[in-house]
Amino acid sequence: MKRKNLPVSVKVYSDLTTRISASLSSAPASASEAMRLLDSYLTGEPPASDDLTALVAFNMIRPEIDRAMTRSARARERAVSLDTSTTKPSDASCSCTTTRWARTTTCSATSDFFPPSLPPRAFPKGKALLLFFLLHSLR
């Protein structure tokens, strides 16, 4: 199956295919049928097969597949909502936007985003951040 058509992550799909191959290594025909069942289920088709071994193997991992599909759908929804979330400055004459994760902006209305005492800059990281907060909390 191609990556863009997967309703689960590549990691989950790889794990499932490895487990099917390993558990049905003594029956290669059943392994390929179980892989076909997995692929058809991920495309939305109901799983149906005459190979009972493949059907049992698939049905044993089916609840895990359903949970993975739910997790992936939620993750995609969160990713879309984070990508589309933007903030606009309160100045109506400014038409620029910055994404939620942007550290700086090229907007001419930076005073709406940053007070004059806090210039737009990246904050210190790691130990420097701890030292920064300690020094400012002592004031």
Side-chain angles (χ1 to χ4, degrees), residues 72-86:
S72 292
R74 285 185 195 148
R76 285 187 183 101
E77 288 172 5
R78 280 192 308 270
V80 167
S81 70
L82 287 177
D83 286 344
T84 59
S85 69
T86 58

Side-chain angles (χ1 to χ4, degrees), residues 8 20 24-26 28-29 33 41 43 49 60 68-69 79-82 88 94 106 109 120:
V8 296
I20 289 172
L24 296 175
S25 62
S26 61
E33 181 63 14
Y41 187 71
T43 59
S49 176
M60 289 180 72
M69 289 170 67
V80 167
S81 70
L82 287 177
K88 282 191 154 290
C94 181
T106 56

Side-chain angles (χ1 to χ4, degrees), residues 116-136:
S117 62
L118 295 174
R121 60 178 167 78
F123 287 102
K125 295 182 180 177
K127 292 179 183 177
L129 182 61
L130 179 62
L131 181 63
F132 176 78
F133 285 121
L134 287 174
L135 290 175
H136 286 282

Side-chain angles (χ1 to χ4, degrees), residues 34-135:
M35 293 298 296
R36 187 195 64 76
L37 285 171
L38 174 65
D39 290 340
S40 68
Y41 187 71
L42 291 176
T43 59
E45 299 172 18
S49 176
D50 293 334
D51 188 348
L52 293 179
T53 305
L55 201 53
V56 167
F58 172 76
N59 282 324
M60 289 180 72
I61 62 170
R62 187 174 178 173
E64 186 176 347
I65 297 168
D66 292 336
R67 285 191 302 269
M69 289 170 67
T70 303
R71 270 194 319 267
S72 292
R74 285 185 195 148
R76 285 187 183 101
E77 288 172 5
R78 280 192 308 270
V80 167
S81 70
L82 287 177
D83 286 344
T84 59
S85 69
T86 58
T87 57
K88 282 191 154 290
S90 61
D91 185 10
S93 64
C94 181
S95 62
C96 66
T97 60
T98 58
T99 61
R100 180 177 175 184
W101 303 109
R103 290 184 173 211
T104 60
T105 182
T106 56
C107 179
S108 60
T110 57
S111 61
D112 291 341
F113 286 110
F114 303 103
S117 62
L118 295 174
R121 60 178 167 78
F123 287 102
K125 295 182 180 177
K127 292 179 183 177
L129 182 61
L130 179 62
L131 181 63
F132 176 78
F133 285 121
L134 287 174
L135 290 175

